[in-house]
Amino acid sequence: MAKKSHSIISRLSCWLHRYCCHMKLNMAEDDDYMSDVFINVQEDIRPGLPMLRQIREARRKEEKQQEANLKNRQKSLKEEEQERRDVGLKNALGCENKGFALLQKMGYKSGQALGKSGDGIVEPIPLNVKTGKSGLGHEALLKRKAEEKLESYRRKIHMKNQAEEKAAEQFRMRLKSKQDEMKLEGDLRRSQRACQQLDTQKNIQVPREAWYWLRLEETEEEEEEEKEQDEDEYTSEDLSVLEKLQILTSYLREEHLYCIWCGTAYEDKEDLSSNCPGPTSADHD
């Protein structure tokens, strides 16, 4: 039985060996040696793999050389001064310092504020080292110029805002003046229209002044007579709209007992004075 099993195993191993050889021959025939499989072969640099002894030694020597260069590097004068200054500022003054010894003889204790009443500084005045090449006071000058520039910018903005506010106020005043002028012209036309109607009711054919009526048909003779009038006598063009309105409303109140703002013709002067608020538009607001 053992001999039979041993012969089966040997046959299987022989068959497996032949099969592997056959597969290798097929792969060798099928592969193209100019393909990417054989050209783009990269070195396996996965971490943890053993390195060659020469590479390890070279890297170790390079690191030692860098450490030696750092230790033996000569420090510059500024670096040495900075190190000494930092060490000196970190350590408090001791009794070997003459100034500190004098302060102790005068009753000063470490950590105590300066001054007779103890309201002075506790920490020493900080040391500010100037590293730039500019002269003394240059930073203060730059700061002052920056402040002056900022102040000038603020003044310009303030003046611009004032100019805009002034322009807006002038525009409002012009608009209000225009509205007031249009209102006065409207009141004058109403007064002229009312004067013409009331004068016509009283059979007055010619107005007291030419501009008392809204429209007046003048003859050629009247035009010539008006041209011949003395130059010293004022005409209607010399009067403003407000003056014309005041004159005409006074005429309507005296001659016809009429108020254009009330829109009423009163019976007598007593009725007019007692029931009409006043001779102006403001009195009727």
Side-chain angles (χ1 to χ4, degrees):
M1 191 70 180
K3 290 180 180 181
K4 187 177 182 179
S5 60
H6 180 70
S7 61
I8 294 173
I9 292 172
S10 60
R11 288 178 183 177
L12 287 173
S13 60
C14 292
W15 180 82
L16 184 61
H17 179 69
R18 291 176 183 175
Y19 177 78
C20 291
C21 292
H22 179 71
M23 291 298 295
K24 285 181 180 181
L25 290 174
N26 292 336
M27 290 177 64
E29 292 175 357
D30 296 337
D31 287 340
D32 184 6
Y33 290 97
M34 295 300 294
S35 64
D36 294 340
V37 177
F38 294 95
I39 294 173
N40 298 331
V41 178
Q42 298 181 356
E43 184 182 357
D44 194 354
I45 54 173
R46 290 176 295 171
L49 294 178
M51 299 175 63
L52 296 177
R53 184 174 180 181
Q54 294 87 353
I55 298 176
R56 288 199 303 268
E57 291 294 334
R59 289 191 178 180
R60 189 179 298 110
K61 288 180 181 180
E62 186 178 356
E63 291 174 358
K64 287 182 178 180
Q65 186 65 32
Q66 290 178 357
E67 292 177 359
N69 292 338
L70 290 175
K71 291 180 180 179
N72 299 329
R73 187 175 66 87
Q74 185 178 2
K75 297 180 180 179
S76 63
L77 182 60
K78 289 185 178 180
E79 291 177 347
E80 293 179 355
E81 290 179 353
Q82 183 66 32
E83 289 181 359
R84 289 197 299 269
R85 189 182 302 114
D86 293 340
V87 172
L89 293 175
K90 288 179 182 179
N91 299 328
L93 294 177
C95 298
E96 67 278 1
N97 186 277
K98 293 182 179 181
F100 187 73
L102 289 174
L103 286 175
Q104 284 184 329
K105 289 180 180 180
M106 297 171 64
Y108 174 77
K109 294 180 181 179
S110 182
Q112 181 182 355
L114 298 179
K116 185 177 180 180
S117 58
D119 56 352
I121 61 174
V122 178
E123 296 295 331
I125 298 174
L127 179 63
N128 295 324
V129 181
K130 188 175 182 303
T131 58
K133 295 182 180 181
S134 58
L136 295 176
H138 182 69
E139 294 180 358
L141 177 63
L142 293 178
K143 183 179 179 181
R144 181 169 58 82
K145 286 185 177 181
E147 291 176 354
E148 291 177 355
K149 187 176 180 181
L150 179 61
E151 185 65 24
S152 175
Y153 175 75
R154 289 176 178 173
R155 283 198 300 268
K156 288 181 180 179
I157 293 298
H158 182 65
M159 293 175 63
K160 182 180 179 181
N161 293 336
Q162 283 186 337
E164 290 178 354
E165 291 177 1
K166 186 176 180 181
E169 183 65 24
Q170 290 176 353
F171 173 76
R172 287 193 292 268
M173 291 177 64
R174 289 196 301 270
L175 184 62
K176 186 176 183 301
S177 176
K178 186 68 175 178
Q179 291 175 348
D180 293 342
E181 185 178 355
M182 292 175 63
K183 185 176 183 300
L184 290 175
E185 291 176 354
D187 292 341
L188 179 61
R189 285 193 295 271
R190 284 197 300 146
S191 300
Q192 290 172 334
R193 191 178 296 108
C195 180
Q196 185 174 1
Q197 291 176 357
L198 293 173
D199 285 348
T200 304
Q201 290 176 3
K202 288 187 176 183
N203 295 324
I204 299 175
Q205 301 299 324
V206 179
R208 181 177 296 184
E209 295 289 343
W211 54 269
Y212 272 29
W213 288 7
L214 188 61
R215 290 180 182 178
L216 180 62
E217 296 179 358
E218 296 180 347
T219 62
E220 294 180 357
E221 295 179 356
E222 290 175 346
E223 290 180 356
E224 293 178 357
E225 291 178 358
E226 186 177 350
K227 291 179 181 178
E228 292 175 356
Q229 286 181 353
D230 188 13
E231 294 180 356
D232 296 336
E233 184 179 357
Y234 69 88
T235 60
S236 62
E237 298 297 332
D238 298 328
L239 299 175
S240 64
V241 177
L242 180 60
E243 291 174 341
K244 288 182 180 180
L245 181 62
Q246 291 174 347
I247 294 171
L248 189 54
T249 51
S250 298
Y251 171 79
L252 292 174
R253 292 173 71 88
E254 292 175 359
E255 296 295 330
H256 300 289
L257 302 176
Y258 181 80
C259 176
I260 61 168
W261 292 290
C262 295
T264 305
Y266 294 93
E267 296 179 358
D268 51 23
K269 291 184 178 180
E270 184 178 356
D271 186 20
L272 176 64
S273 61
S274 59
N275 294 321
C276 181
T280 62
S281 174
D283 297 331
H284 292 76
D285 290 340

